[in-house]
Amino acid sequence: MRGTWILIGMLTLIPLALGASGTGRSGATQVRIVGGSYQPLYSDARDSVTVVTPFLIDTRGVTRAEYRAFLAEHPRWQRGRVPGVFADDGYLAGWPAQPGAGEDTLLATEVSWFAARAYCRARDARLPTTAEWEFLARADEHDPDAASDAAFLRRALDLALAPRAGQPATGSGFVNAWGVRGMHGVMNEWVLDFNTAFAGADSRKTTSGDRSLTCAAGATATGDSRDYAAFMRYAFRAAAEARSTSRTLGFRCARDAS
Amino acid sequence: MSKQQKNYGIAGGAFVILLALFVALGARSGVESPAGVPVPELPELKGVETAQMVAPPAVPSPITRDYATTVKVDLEVIEKVMEIAPGVEYEMWTFGGTVPGNFIRVREGDQVEFTLRNAHDSGMPHNIDLHAVTGQGGGAEATNVMPGQANTFTFRALQPGLYVYHCAMAPVPVHIANGMYGLILVEPAEGMAPVDREFYVMQGDFYTAGNHGEAGLQGFDFDKLFDEEPEYVLFNGAKGALNGDNAMQANVGESIRLFVGNGGPNLTSSFHAIGEIFDNVYVEGGSMVNNNVQTTVIPAGGAAIVEFRADVPSNVLLVDHAITRVFNKGALATIAVSGEERPEIYRHGAAEPTVAAN
C-alpha cells in the first residue's frame, strides 16, 4: 500500500519538477518565461501591444555538438544531402568533416530555417516566434523589460556591432534577467515567423506609412526608435529566405508552456 | 464526375482560355502612358557590354561609343578588416573589396543590368542605392542580399551626372560609416572632353571606439556617430590611401580631372586643392559648371567633378578645408606633380626686374 503511494507521489512530482525547467531529449536546459506584453517595433496600428503567453525557451543557442547529434540521427539533413530548396550552398559549409575542438560551445550556424525547424521538431520543440524572441531581447541582466533604458539599448547595439573578425561563433556572454544567454551579440537567430517581419529591408521604403523603415531611424515605427539593434534584427529577418544560411545565423528552440 | 460538374469544368476551362487571351493581347511591348503623362524618351539600345571594374583611385576608360547599350555590372559586398591608419585596423564593409567601391562608368541612356552579391562570409544582409537610379530606393528594394546570395535589377540611366551609391540596409548610417559607398558616372550623350589624367577620390567620416591613432582592431562607436564627431575623416578609406607611395601621379602641363565623392555619412566637405585652383567645377556633380574655384562644397551623399591643369611641379594636397579634419583626422590626399619648374608662375625670392611701365 505504501509502495503505491510512493509510486503515485513520484508520478505526480516528477512531471511537476520537469515542468518548471524542462530538458529536451537532448540539448539545452529550457526555462519557463511567464510572458507579458510590450509595444513591438513594427505593427499595423499605432499604440498596438504584443501579448506573449507563457513559453519555454532554450537558455542558450543550439551548439554544433548538439546539431551533429541530430545529424547522426537524421542523416537526410547532412551536408550535400539536403535539396537546394531547403538550404542554400552555404549549409554547414564551414563545418569540418570531423568534430573539432570546442564544439560544445560553438553555435550551430550556417543552418537554414528548414533545418533549424527540423532540429527543434526532433526535440519535440519548435522555433520561438518573433514576438517571443523580441520579448526576451528586452531584458538586461536584472530587469526583464529594460527596453526603455537608453543605456541598455546602446549596449545591445554595441554588442551587435562588435567586430566579428577572428571571433569564434560562441555567441555573446550576455545573460539576461531570465537566465537566457546570447540574446545580444553579432549572432542572429531564426524565428518561426521570420518572413512576416514588417520591415522592408530597404530602410527607406514607404509602403503604407506605418510599414516603413526609414533612414530617420524608423520615424513611423511604433516601438522605440532608438532601438537600432532591433532595426537590424528586423532588417535581417526581412532579407532572409527560409533556405538562407549564414555564419552569423544560428537558432534556439522553444516550447509551448502549460 | 456528374454532368453538372462536367459543365462547370468546361465553363471554367473556357474562362481561363479567354482570360489568357485578354492578358496576351493586353501585354504589348511598349505600354502606352495614359493620355497627357509625359514619359522620358529612351534611346534605342544596341548591344551588351560588361562594365570594366578597377580599384580606386583608377577609373574605367572614357566612353567612346555614341549609342546607348546594355551594361552589365557585377559588384560583390565583402566585409574585411582593413588598416585605416598605421597600426589601426577597422572592419570595413566594402563594395568590391575597396573603400570607396569600384567606380562605375556608363553613358546617358544606357540600360544597366546590376547584380549585387554578398560574400558568403558576410555577417548580415546588404543592398545598394545608386543615386543615378530612378526607381524605388535607388535599387535598394530590389537588391537585398543575404550572405552568399545575389540579386539583379535593371535600370535606365536617364540623366547624366556623377552620382553616389551606397548601402541602404538598416541602420543606414552604420553601413555607410563602415565604408559602403562609391560613385557611378553617367557620361552625357556627347561625352566628356579628353583629359590627361582622371582620378577617383571619395571622402568619408569614421567613428572608431578608440581615439584617433589608437592602435589595434577598433570597434564602432554609436555615440560618436550620433553626435557626428568622427575620429577619422579620410579620402579613400585610409590615411595612407593616397599619400606617400600611394600618391596620385601627374606631370606639369597635364590636364587633370578628379571625380570627387563624399560618402559621409554625416560631414559635408569643403573640398580644396592646396597650390592649385579648379578651372572647372561641375557643381554637385551635375551639369552646371563653375570656373576658377578655390574650394567647392560637396554635401554628404554628393559629388563634384573638378578639373585643373597642373601648371607647376608640386605636391597638390587635396583637403577638406574644415581644416582641423586635415591635421587631426586625416583628411588629406596627394597628387604628386612632377616636371620642370615654372619660375615665371611660382618661385622663391624677389620678382625679376621687368620693363618700366611706360
Side-chain angles (χ1 to χ4, degrees), chain A residues 90 93 110 154 157 161 163-165 188 201-205 213 215 228 232 235-236 239-241 244-248, chain B residues 79 81 91 120-125 127 129 136-137 140-141 144 146-147 149 168-172 174 220-223:
Chain A
E110 297 174 296
R154 173 58 206 286
L157 182 63
L161 290 174
R164 287 185 305 114
N188 298 279
D202 171 11
S203 71
R204 290 86 33 87
K205 180 172 183 174
L213 176 59
C215 251
Y228 266 66
M232 290 175 65
F236 195 105
E241 296 173 343
S244 297
T245 65
S246 165
R247 294 241 169 112
T248 58
Chain B
E79 299 173 8
V81 174
E91 185 178 281
H120 173 66
D121 284 351
S122 293
M124 70 207 72
N127 58 21
D129 166 5
Q136 180 66 48
E141 168 259 1
N144 306 304
M146 285 286 283
Q149 208 192 332
M169 179 63 61
V172 177
V174 175
F220 177 80
D221 191 319
F222 194 82
D223 282 335

Side-chain angles (χ1 to χ4, degrees), chain A residues 109-128:
Chain A
T109 58
E110 297 174 296
V111 295
S112 68
W113 178 83
F114 288 109
R117 194 176 64 151
Y119 173 95
C120 291
R121 279 184 174 168
R123 274 178 54 199
D124 297 323
R126 58 167 174 82
L127 289 169

Side-chain angles (χ1 to χ4, degrees), chain A residues 216-257:
Chain A
T220 61
T222 57
D224 198 320
S225 65
R226 293 168 302 161
D227 196 351
Y228 266 66
F231 279 111
M232 290 175 65
R233 294 194 294 269
Y234 275 88
F236 195 105
R237 292 173 196 136
E241 296 173 343
R243 60 186 291 269
S244 297
T245 65
S246 165
R247 294 241 169 112
T248 58
L249 181 56
F251 70 105
R252 71 184 69 212
C253 298
R255 280 197 186 88
D256 296 339

Side-chain angles (χ1 to χ4, degrees), chain B:
Chain B
M1 192 185 305
S2 75
K3 186 144 192 257
Q4 196 177 36
Q5 280 175 318
K6 243 173 113 173
N7 283 341
Y8 277 129
I10 290 168
F15 175 73
V16 168
I17 289 167
L18 279 172
L19 188 62
L21 268 173
F22 270 118
V23 169
L25 286 172
R28 299 187 303 270
S29 66
V31 176
E32 286 156 3
S33 70
V37 175
V39 291
E41 219 177 275
L42 301 180
E44 191 198 343
L45 297 168
K46 293 190 233 170
V48 178
E49 281 184 12
T50 302
Q52 185 194 1
M53 302 299 254
V54 292
V59 296
S61 319
I63 290 174
T64 49
R65 59 185 154 82
D66 60 356
Y67 54 88
T69 193
T70 296
V71 182
K72 291 184 185 254
V73 179
D74 202 303
L75 201 50
E76 185 183 25
V77 174
I78 301 169
E79 299 173 8
K80 59 195 269 198
V81 174
M82 300 177 80
E83 193 178 65
I84 64 168
V88 184
E89 291 189 313
Y90 187 74
E91 185 178 281
M92 292 284 194
W93 303 341
T94 74
F95 284 110
T98 58
V99 177
N102 295 155
F103 192 90
I104 302 168
R105 191 165 196 158
V106 299
R107 183 180 177 273
E108 182 181 1
D110 280 349
Q111 173 173 256
V112 181
E113 184 187 271
F114 196 105
T115 297
L116 185 69
R117 302 178 189 282
N118 193 357
H120 173 66
D121 284 351
S122 293
M124 70 207 72
H126 295 283
N127 58 21
I128 192 167
D129 166 5
L130 301 107
H131 291 182
V133 171
T134 300
Q136 180 66 48
E141 168 259 1
T143 54
N144 306 304
V145 280
M146 285 286 283
Q149 208 192 332
N151 253 334
T152 300
F153 81 109
T154 301
F155 70 93
R156 280 283 203 146
L158 296 177
Q159 288 155 264
L162 181 61
Y163 299 97
V164 169
Y165 67 76
H166 63 87
C167 180
M169 179 63 61
V172 177
V174 175
H175 283 254
I176 294 177
N178 285 345
M180 299 201 75
Y181 44 76
L183 291 180
I184 172 168
L185 172 69
V186 182
E187 285 200 18
E190 66 272 16
M192 302 180 76
V195 292
D196 297 307
R197 304 268 180 180
E198 288 183 325
F199 296 110
Y200 168 32
V201 173
M202 197 152 186
Q203 183 174 326
D205 15 299
F206 297 90
Y207 301 83
T208 55
N211 292 329
H212 183 95
E214 201 171 298
L217 177 63
Q218 295 296 316
F220 177 80
D221 191 319
F222 194 82
D223 282 335
K224 293 177 189 173
L225 174 80
F226 199 79
D227 293 339
E228 303 188 19
E229 291 175 2
E231 292 291 343
Y232 296 89
V233 181
L234 302 170
F235 291 110
N236 292 17
K239 253 182 151 174
L242 299 167
N243 295 310
D245 291 337
N246 297 324
M248 295 166 277
Q249 305 289 330
N251 297 309
V252 170
E254 287 182 335
S255 53
I256 298 169
R257 174 179 293 140
L258 302 180
F259 298 104
V260 190
N262 183 5
N266 297 318
L267 303 193
T268 294
S269 180
S270 307
F271 187 71
H272 172 81
I274 300 179
E276 271 294 347
I277 302 169
F278 301 135
D279 302 337
N280 304 315
V281 174
Y282 289 75
V283 177
E284 297 168 351
S287 308
M288 183 167 74
V289 181
N290 199 1
N291 310 105
N292 308 319
V293 174
Q294 68 196 287
T295 301
T296 189
V297 178
I298 309 182
I305 306 176
V306 305
E307 295 169 350
F308 62 95
R309 182 170 301 277
D311 292 311
V312 297
S314 78
N315 284 330
V316 175
L317 304 178
L318 306 178
V319 299
D320 181 340
H321 216 294
I323 206 75
T324 316
R325 299 171 191 174
V326 177
F327 293 99
N328 296 72
K329 306 204 173 175
L332 179 72
T334 305
I335 305 176
V337 178
S338 329
E340 290 282 308
E341 300 282 346
R342 303 275 303 277
E344 71 275 22
I345 294 177
Y346 177 92
R347 77 221 196 129
H348 297 178
E352 286 280 315
T354 53
V355 175
N358 55 350

Side-chain angles (χ1 to χ4, degrees), chain A residues 128-154:
Chain A
T129 63
T130 303
E132 290 168 343
W133 208 100
E134 289 294 319
F135 178 78
L136 287 169
R138 300 172 74 83
D140 70 8
E141 290 92 335
H142 310 291
D143 185 351
D145 192 345
S148 54
D149 177 7
F152 168 63
L153 294 181
R154 173 58 206 286

